[in-house]
Amino acid sequence: KAKVYIRAALKGIPDHTEFLHGLALIHFMEKNYDQCIDLARQALSVNEKDVPALMLLGQSYSIKGYPAESIRYWTEIDNLRPDGFAAKLALIELYIMTNDHIRRTIYVDKLKNVASGKSIQEIFAAAENENPAFPIYMPDRSLLEKILSKE
């Protein structure tokens, strides 16, 4: 039912990023990633620095098996939020998946620099709280714990 209301609202205000996010998020949760991507791109056409749209794109492309596209969007988030944790964790995961050890190490170092003594659990909690109303990315805790405890 929410889709019906949001679509009606978008007819009146087609470039309203929050309506676009809401509809994109519904499609994301329904695993309709192509529609999610289309809507998130529309939001970016209105505001190229729109973090929720970038997150939806980064995670949708990751799930669809396009790590290079996912990396592009998560890198943009990291550039917009240099003190954030979620993008760095997502990029570490993506670089593990793509066997890019050099970039993985770069992002582990960036994460350590902004973590300033936080525990791994505190880093995860901070990442999850960066967008509590927009829970798109949840860190793979077991994978990241293995990597971060070694580095």
Side-chain angles (χ1 to χ4, degrees), residues 2-3 6 21-32:
K3 281 198 274 190
I6 295 171
H21 298 157
L23 193 52
L25 180 59
I26 291 168
H27 284 289
F28 181 87
M29 291 168 37
E30 292 174 345
K31 300 181 182 188
N32 184 352

Side-chain angles (χ1 to χ4, degrees), residues 68-87:
E69 286 296 311
S70 181
I71 287 167
R72 173 180 160 208
Y73 292 109
W74 283 111
T75 300
E76 184 62 27
I77 295 167
D78 190 50
N79 291 336
L80 291 169
R81 292 182 170 177
D83 293 331
F85 296 101

Side-chain angles (χ1 to χ4, degrees), residues 61-102:
Y61 278 117
S62 178
I63 291 167
K64 285 180 55 107
Y66 296 101
E69 286 296 311
S70 181
I71 287 167
R72 173 180 160 208
Y73 292 109
W74 283 111
T75 300
E76 184 62 27
I77 295 167
D78 190 50
N79 291 336
L80 291 169
R81 292 182 170 177
D83 293 331
F85 296 101
K88 288 173 187 61
L89 291 171
L91 287 163
I92 292 167
E93 284 187 56
L94 287 160
Y95 289 130
I96 290 168
M97 290 171 30
T98 59
N99 293 314
D100 188 333
H101 302 292
I102 293 170

